[in-house]
PDB file of all heavy atoms in Angstrom:
ATOM      1  N   PHE A 820      -3.894   8.750  20.791  1.00 89.00           N
ATOM      2  CA  PHE A 820      -5.141   8.861  21.729  1.00 89.00           C
ATOM      3  C   PHE A 820      -6.455   8.360  21.140  1.00 89.00           C
ATOM      4  O   PHE A 820      -7.225   7.961  21.901  1.00 89.00           O
ATOM      5  CB  PHE A 820      -5.124  10.383  22.306  1.00 89.00           C
ATOM      6  CG  PHE A 820      -4.165  10.646  23.180  1.00 89.00           C
ATOM      7  CD1 PHE A 820      -3.247  11.736  22.854  1.00 89.00           C
ATOM      8  CD2 PHE A 820      -3.796   9.991  24.281  1.00 89.00           C
ATOM      9  CE1 PHE A 820      -2.238  12.042  23.664  1.00 89.00           C
ATOM     10  CE2 PHE A 820      -2.808  10.314  25.211  1.00 89.00           C
ATOM     11  CZ  PHE A 820      -1.928  11.443  24.871  1.00 89.00           C
ATOM     12  N   ALA A 821      -6.511   8.433  19.833  1.00 91.00           N
ATOM     13  CA  ALA A 821      -7.706   8.007  19.193  1.00 91.00           C
ATOM     14  C   ALA A 821      -7.579   6.414  18.937  1.00 91.00           C
ATOM     15  O   ALA A 821      -8.403   5.763  18.231  1.00 91.00           O
ATOM     16  CB  ALA A 821      -7.885   8.629  17.792  1.00 91.00           C
ATOM     17  N   ARG A 822      -6.480   5.785  19.376  1.00 89.00           N
ATOM     18  CA  ARG A 822      -6.298   4.389  19.284  1.00 89.00           C
ATOM     19  C   ARG A 822      -6.129   3.847  17.872  1.00 89.00           C
ATOM     20  O   ARG A 822      -6.393   2.758  17.579  1.00 89.00           O
ATOM     21  CB  ARG A 822      -7.497   3.575  19.917  1.00 89.00           C
ATOM     22  CG  ARG A 822      -7.400   3.720  21.577  1.00 89.00           C
ATOM     23  CD  ARG A 822      -8.713   3.067  22.035  1.00 89.00           C
ATOM     24  NE  ARG A 822      -8.880   3.478  23.370  1.00 89.00           N
ATOM     25  CZ  ARG A 822      -8.356   2.634  24.459  1.00 89.00           C
ATOM     26  NH1 ARG A 822      -7.646   1.614  24.065  1.00 89.00           N
ATOM     27  NH2 ARG A 822      -8.427   3.025  25.683  1.00 89.00           N
ATOM     28  N   ARG A 823      -5.690   4.849  17.000  1.00 88.00           N
ATOM     29  CA  ARG A 823      -5.389   4.455  15.624  1.00 88.00           C
ATOM     30  C   ARG A 823      -3.980   3.949  15.488  1.00 88.00           C
ATOM     31  O   ARG A 823      -3.591   3.381  14.495  1.00 88.00           O
ATOM     32  CB  ARG A 823      -5.672   5.692  14.645  1.00 88.00           C
ATOM     33  CG  ARG A 823      -7.127   5.915  14.413  1.00 88.00           C
ATOM     34  CD  ARG A 823      -7.232   6.965  13.262  1.00 88.00           C
ATOM     35  NE  ARG A 823      -6.664   8.167  13.716  1.00 88.00           N
ATOM     36  CZ  ARG A 823      -7.404   9.141  14.201  1.00 88.00           C
ATOM     37  NH1 ARG A 823      -8.567   9.085  14.288  1.00 88.00           N
ATOM     38  NH2 ARG A 823      -6.774  10.448  14.469  1.00 88.00           N
ATOM     39  N   ALA A 824      -3.037   4.337  16.382  1.00 88.00           N
ATOM     40  CA  ALA A 824      -1.711   4.054  16.176  1.00 88.00           C
ATOM     41  C   ALA A 824      -1.015   3.798  17.499  1.00 88.00           C
ATOM     42  O   ALA A 824      -1.609   3.999  18.560  1.00 88.00           O
ATOM     43  CB  ALA A 824      -0.987   5.168  15.454  1.00 88.00           C
ATOM     44  N   ARG A 825       0.214   3.245  17.519  1.00 90.00           N
ATOM     45  CA  ARG A 825       0.903   3.078  18.708  1.00 90.00           C
ATOM     46  C   ARG A 825       1.493   4.330  19.204  1.00 90.00           C
ATOM     47  O   ARG A 825       1.502   5.259  18.478  1.00 90.00           O
ATOM     48  CB  ARG A 825       2.030   1.932  18.487  1.00 90.00           C
ATOM     49  CG  ARG A 825       1.474   0.594  18.134  1.00 90.00           C
ATOM     50  CD  ARG A 825       2.695  -0.284  18.114  1.00 90.00           C
ATOM     51  NE  ARG A 825       2.037  -1.669  17.861  1.00 90.00           N
ATOM     52  CZ  ARG A 825       2.793  -2.793  17.924  1.00 90.00           C
ATOM     53  NH1 ARG A 825       4.072  -2.583  18.429  1.00 90.00           N
ATOM     54  NH2 ARG A 825       2.175  -4.016  17.714  1.00 90.00           N
ATOM     55  N   TYR A 826       2.171   4.241  20.485  1.00 92.00           N
ATOM     56  CA  TYR A 826       2.828   5.368  20.892  1.00 92.00           C
ATOM     57  C   TYR A 826       4.026   5.930  20.037  1.00 92.00           C
ATOM     58  O   TYR A 826       4.732   5.002  19.564  1.00 92.00           O
ATOM     59  CB  TYR A 826       3.370   5.065  22.285  1.00 92.00           C
ATOM     60  CG  TYR A 826       3.663   6.312  23.087  1.00 92.00           C
ATOM     61  CD1 TYR A 826       2.711   7.072  23.797  1.00 92.00           C
ATOM     62  CD2 TYR A 826       5.013   6.787  23.253  1.00 92.00           C
ATOM     63  CE1 TYR A 826       3.129   8.214  24.493  1.00 92.00           C
ATOM     64  CE2 TYR A 826       5.356   7.911  24.031  1.00 92.00           C
ATOM     65  CZ  TYR A 826       4.259   8.573  24.555  1.00 92.00           C
ATOM     66  OH  TYR A 826       4.730   9.671  25.272  1.00 92.00           O
ATOM     67  N   PRO A 827       4.169   7.113  19.694  1.00 93.00           N
ATOM     68  CA  PRO A 827       5.228   7.652  18.883  1.00 93.00           C
ATOM     69  C   PRO A 827       6.567   7.006  19.235  1.00 93.00           C
ATOM     70  O   PRO A 827       6.847   6.993  20.443  1.00 93.00           O
ATOM     71  CB  PRO A 827       5.114   9.110  18.931  1.00 93.00           C
ATOM     72  CG  PRO A 827       3.783   9.407  19.470  1.00 93.00           C
ATOM     73  CD  PRO A 827       3.303   8.234  20.257  1.00 93.00           C
ATOM     74  N   LYS A 828       7.358   6.752  18.270  1.00 93.00           N
ATOM     75  CA  LYS A 828       8.625   6.234  18.526  1.00 93.00           C
ATOM     76  C   LYS A 828       9.826   7.177  18.353  1.00 93.00           C
ATOM     77  O   LYS A 828       9.627   8.098  17.511  1.00 93.00           O
ATOM     78  CB  LYS A 828       8.956   5.116  17.644  1.00 93.00           C
ATOM     79  CG  LYS A 828       8.272   3.747  18.063  1.00 93.00           C
ATOM     80  CD  LYS A 828       8.788   2.665  17.010  1.00 93.00           C
ATOM     81  CE  LYS A 828       7.983   1.466  17.240  1.00 93.00           C
ATOM     82  NZ  LYS A 828       7.985   0.630  16.011  1.00 93.00           N
ATOM     83  N   PHE A 829      10.894   7.034  19.030  1.00 94.00           N
ATOM     84  CA  PHE A 829      12.086   7.754  18.794  1.00 94.00           C
ATOM     85  C   PHE A 829      12.592   7.315  17.435  1.00 94.00           C
ATOM     86  O   PHE A 829      12.613   6.141  17.044  1.00 94.00           O
ATOM     87  CB  PHE A 829      13.080   7.497  19.882  1.00 94.00           C
ATOM     88  CG  PHE A 829      12.807   8.149  21.128  1.00 94.00           C
ATOM     89  CD1 PHE A 829      12.269   7.487  22.309  1.00 94.00           C
ATOM     90  CD2 PHE A 829      12.991   9.517  21.409  1.00 94.00           C
ATOM     91  CE1 PHE A 829      11.832   7.939  23.467  1.00 94.00           C
ATOM     92  CE2 PHE A 829      12.608  10.015  22.517  1.00 94.00           C
ATOM     93  CZ  PHE A 829      12.128   9.256  23.699  1.00 94.00           C
ATOM     94  N   LYS A 830      13.218   8.344  16.669  1.00 92.00           N
ATOM     95  CA  LYS A 830      13.830   8.052  15.422  1.00 92.00           C
ATOM     96  C   LYS A 830      15.321   7.666  15.423  1.00 92.00           C
ATOM     97  O   LYS A 830      15.993   8.201  16.157  1.00 92.00           O
ATOM     98  CB  LYS A 830      13.492   9.201  14.569  1.00 92.00           C
ATOM     99  CG  LYS A 830      12.095   9.399  14.218  1.00 92.00           C
ATOM    100  CD  LYS A 830      11.734  10.523  13.266  1.00 92.00           C
ATOM    101  CE  LYS A 830      10.307  10.382  12.979  1.00 92.00           C
ATOM    102  NZ  LYS A 830       9.837  11.503  12.060  1.00 92.00           N
TER     103      LYS A 830
END
Side-chain angles (χ1 to χ4, degrees):
F820 287 122
R822 291 169 188 274
R823 282 190 297 265
R825 292 188 179 192
Y826 195 79
K828 278 186 193 157
F829 287 102
K830 291 188 174 175

